[in-house]
Amino acid sequence: MTANQAATQTGKRSVLGVLVDVTTYAEATARILEAARERRPYAVTALAVHGVMTGVQDRAHNARLNSFDLTTPDGQPVRWALNLLHHAGLADRVYGPTLTLKVVEQAAAEGLPIYLYGSTQPTLDRLVPALEKMFPALKIAGVEASKFRTSHPGEAQEIAERIKASGARIVLVGLGCPRQEIFTYAMRPFLDMPLLAVGAAFDYHAGLLKNPPAWMQKYALEWLWRLGLEPKRLWKRYVLLNPAYLARLAAQRSGLWKATPPAPATEPVTTFAV
C-alpha cells in the first residue's frame, strides 16, 4: 500500500485496546481546523507507547481515550502497531509537537486565535515569543499556566468561561500524559472548539527540550534520547513500559489476547489536574 492509499484508509483501530486513528499530518490538521471553523467540540491527543500503556493499565482511562475524536500515532512503535495489526500502510507517525506546528501555522493563516493552557509560566513566557516569531500572523487569545493541583467544584466551567471570553478557537493543552488527556476529556463538554493534548510540545517549542536526530526518530529511538535528557523522571516509563508494550503487542498479534477496546466513556470527570 502506498502512502497516498494509506491517507485514504482512515478510522480507528485497536492498539492494545486503545483506539488509535489511521491518519496523516494533512488529514489530522484538516480535521482539527474544520472543527475550529465550525465551532465544534473536538478532543485530540497524540499517543506514544507511554500514552497507550496508560490506557492498558487503567480501563476507565482507556474508555476516556476511546472517546476522543482524534487519536494520532505519536510514536513510531504505535505506527508500527497499526501497520502490523491492521495493515494501515502508514509511512509516518503523527508526532504531537509537529502536529502542533502544522495546526498553529494553519490557524495563523486563517486568523483563528489559539489558547495555551498548561506547563509553567516561565515556559509559556518563552513559548509565546517563539510561536510569534515562527508565525507572525498568529493570534494568541490567552495563556494560562498549570496550577499543579486538582480542580475544585465548578472549576471546569470557570476555565471554560475564561477560554470562551478570550475569543480562542483552538486550545493547546500541555499538562503531560495522562493529565492532559483527562483535562481534555473533562473540558470538551464545555467548549465549542478543538482541544489538543500536545504533550511535550510546549517544552520543545519553547526551546527547553532538544529534538533527537532524525535517524533516532525514524528508528523509534526517541525514548533513548529522552531518557538521556531526563533519566530520573523517565526511567520507569521507558525501562518498564516499553517491554510491556512489546509483549502485549505480540500477544494481540498472535491472537493470545483479544485486546477488546472498552466502549467510549460518557460519564463526566469530577476532579482532574488543572
Side-chain angles (χ1 to χ4, degrees):
M1 181 180 292
T2 67
N4 288 336
Q5 287 173 320
T8 64
Q9 184 187 333
T10 58
K12 294 184 179 292
R13 305 289 188 275
S14 171
V15 176
L16 314 194
V18 176
L19 296 178
V20 182
D21 284 83
V22 176
T23 191
T24 62
Y25 284 115
E27 191 219 3
T29 302
R31 289 172 62 179
I32 293 164
L33 268 293
E34 182 180 41
R37 293 185 208 105
E38 296 177 357
R39 296 183 182 272
R40 284 189 283 114
Y42 201 75
V44 181
T45 188
L47 294 185
V49 167
H50 175 232
V52 170
M53 291 302 293
T54 61
V56 172
Q57 295 174 332
D58 181 344
R59 195 160 178 84
H61 185 60
N62 193 342
R64 287 191 292 268
L65 292 174
N66 287 354
S67 79
F68 272 54
D69 300 285
L70 177 63
T71 299
T72 75
D74 176 273
Q76 295 289 11
V78 180
R79 176 181 71 89
W80 293 343
L82 288 171
N83 289 346
L84 177 68
L85 298 170
H86 306 292
H87 310 289
L90 286 175
D92 198 4
R93 63 177 176 166
V94 181
Y95 180 48
T98 301
L99 178 63
T100 297
L101 291 185
K102 291 182 180 296
V103 169
V104 171
E105 179 182 27
Q106 192 60 34
E110 297 188 26
L112 297 171
I114 68 169
Y115 197 97
L116 304 173
Y117 189 99
S119 194
T120 64
Q121 193 60 50
T123 298
L124 293 172
D125 289 342
R126 295 183 59 161
L127 177 61
V128 168
L131 291 176
E132 290 175 337
K133 183 178 180 180
M134 284 187 276
F135 311 108
L138 179 64
K139 297 177 181 178
I140 298 180
V143 175
E144 191 168 341
S146 172
K147 286 78 176 166
F148 296 97
R149 59 168 173 79
T150 55
S151 61
H152 58 64
E155 191 161 12
Q157 293 92 326
E158 294 169 8
I159 295 170
E161 286 306 315
R162 289 196 294 272
I163 293 172
K164 287 188 287 188
S166 76
R169 300 285 290 277
I170 297 172
V171 185
L172 303 180
V173 184
L175 292 172
C177 176
R179 295 182 300 276
Q180 62 194 6
E181 283 80 19
I182 300 172
F183 177 93
T184 297
Y185 175 86
M187 294 302 301
R188 177 174 50 184
F190 303 104
L191 291 168
D192 57 350
M193 64 191 75
L195 293 106
L196 282 66
V198 295
F202 284 17
D203 289 335
Y204 278 119
H205 301 319
L208 298 174
L209 285 177
K210 286 183 63 178
N211 274 308
W215 69 268
M216 292 190 82
Q217 297 185 50
K218 180 179 179 181
Y219 293 108
L221 293 174
E222 187 170 357
W223 67 271
L224 189 59
W225 175 268
R226 290 288 307 277
L227 182 61
L229 293 176
E230 301 178 87
K232 290 184 179 179
R233 187 174 77 86
L234 297 178
W235 76 268
K236 286 185 179 179
R237 176 188 299 188
Y238 295 126
V239 174
L240 300 180
L241 289 187
N242 283 6
Y245 173 85
L246 293 174
R248 295 266 186 167
L249 181 58
Q252 183 179 356
R253 176 76 172 99
S254 66
L256 293 174
W257 177 47
K258 297 301 182 186
T260 304
T266 56
E267 66 276 8
V269 173
T270 54
T271 59
F272 54 95
V274 295

